[in-house]
Amino acid sequence: MQESAESSPDSFKLGQRVHSESDPSRIGTVRYVGPVQGYSGMWVGVDWDNGEGKHDGSVNGVRYFQAKSERSGSFVRTQNLSPGISFLEALHIRYKGESTKEEEDEMYVLSASNKRVSVELVGKEKIQDKLSRFEELKGASLPYLGVSTPGNPSDISSLVPNLKELDLTGNLISEWKDVSTICEQLPALTAVNLSDNLMSQNITGLLQLKNIRILVLNNTGINWTQVEELNHLLPMIEELHLMRNGISRIMPTSSSIVQGFGSLRLLNLENNSIAEWNEILKLSLLRSLEQLHLNKNNLKHIFYPDADTIQKLLSGSESNVKMPFQNLHCLLLGGNNIEDLASVDSLNSFPKLVDIRLSENPIADTGRSGIPRFVLIARLSKVEILNGSEVSLRERKDSEIRYVRLVMSKLHDNPDEIKEHPRFAELKAFHGIEGERPSVGTSGPQKMASGLLSVNLKCVGASICEKPLLTKKLPATTTVGKLKILCESFFKLKSIKPKLFLQEEGSPLPSLLDDEMATLTDIGIGNESTILVDEES
């Protein structure tokens, strides 16, 4: 790290972003500069981003500033703070000097899916040789180096004229004019990561950055009003990542629905605070939007909007209403609060939706009376990727057949339940499942119930894992409780209470079978299903 000269109090101003002189990743905002009663000299009051300070801005009953939490503020001597370095200085530090093994391991650039990908020119020999010629640098990774200013603009364009991808995560940049200055001097630049920089709310009056295609603004304090300004600043933006910004509302400035963003293919709003699906509907007319990431928000219910709903959003301003979400093929909804089947079924109405994530929602949590993977697949007619796992043709066929048989067993006792299964008749006819129709008589369901299922039983418990795999033919009416008793006998489990899980194809985690009254049919067990036998902890 570069040694800095002792800073004077004049080096710091209110609102300035600074970092600890000894740790560039310890970042905060200056909230006070001046004397502190009972202590000599001048002090800088800092509100630390990580919340690890000593107080809330008051000392010995005197308030100097208001920190964001009770212990996020502290007073620091000027020599222990750094106002940061320029972008140019950071480039020299990162790519001119000797690099440590840890630094080499950390070198990465931003991929199209916002994942870390190793910089092409990684390796000590290449860093010392090839990267010493800055004109060849295509990707620069400068995280947590204390970058606060661009440096001389003309020097940027002459130093790294071919830079395409730039990662400035966790620096001290806060002014959009500085970001604009850097981007303007780099005509080849297409991807910028500004995550963990606390950005100013002023984005107006800047020149358009027509080459930027990917912008990552995770945890930057941005709100939707600022996002609307980006619409004008970045006319060719294709990917926009806005994770962890506390966004709860989509508030368009020119109308009641988001317009523009003609090239935007991917919008990432994960880890925000959106609770109402009506907020998301304001994005429904983005014509190029293909991927919408909404994991870890607070959504409880979703639906596909009809023409009247869109017309209301538009306040009748347009007569020719386009199809909502017309090009959306990926919708990630994991980690929300969705618990109703109507929300699941509504996903069939999205015209091109094939990649869906519903994991970590109550509706998909079998431990909380949610439905298993095979039921989700059967109810979602077009899904090709579910919860990150591909749905093969075989898995779809098996899931749909299991689902039909499961529904048939339930309809025998409650015929009205068919209303809750909109695809049942279609799937029953498609797979030619006849002769098992529930009726007033008993022959149909009894015949079905009397059938035997071939089930694989696999021990996974720590003390029973050496038991061989067993395949047993069991009546479809066998309950989970009865199967546990049978497993104790099959595997000769003495004083060990078994816990059962259903291992489903394509599902990363097995589903706990905790309803002891449920039958194999109820839980969707089919031929060749695998049940894992664990032990109660």
Side-chain angles (χ1 to χ4, degrees), residues 341 345 379 403 414 416-424:
L341 285 169
D345 295 334
R379 296 186 83 109
Y403 171 70
N414 185 11
D416 290 339
E417 190 171 320
I418 196 169
K419 299 174 184 177
E420 300 178 14
H421 302 278
R423 297 200 69 215
F424 169 72

Side-chain angles (χ1 to χ4, degrees), residues 467-487:
K467 306 286 185 180
L469 180 91
L470 291 181
T471 300
K472 293 289 184 180
K473 291 190 179 296
L474 302 171
T477 53
T478 303
T479 64
V480 171
K482 176 64 174 177
L483 183 55
K484 287 182 178 181
I485 296 172
L486 290 173
C487 286

Side-chain angles (χ1 to χ4, degrees), residues 427-474:
L427 293 176
K428 184 172 180 293
F430 179 79
H431 292 288
I433 302 176
E434 299 293 344
E436 300 176 80
R437 185 189 306 274
S439 62
V440 177
T442 59
S443 58
Q446 282 185 346
K447 179 179 178 181
M448 177 182 169
S450 65
L452 297 177
L453 299 174
S454 180
V455 179
N456 299 314
L457 301 172
K458 180 179 179 181
C459 283
V460 295
S463 60
I464 56 177
C465 58
E466 296 182 1
K467 306 286 185 180
L469 180 91
L470 291 181
T471 300
K472 293 289 184 180
K473 291 190 179 296
L474 302 171

Side-chain angles (χ1 to χ4, degrees), residues 37-58:
Q37 288 185 19
Y39 298 88
S40 61
M42 300 296 287
W43 295 83
V44 179
V46 180
D47 195 1
W48 298 103
D49 289 1
N50 62 7
E52 296 179 1
K54 296 182 178 180
H55 49 69
D56 66 352
S58 63

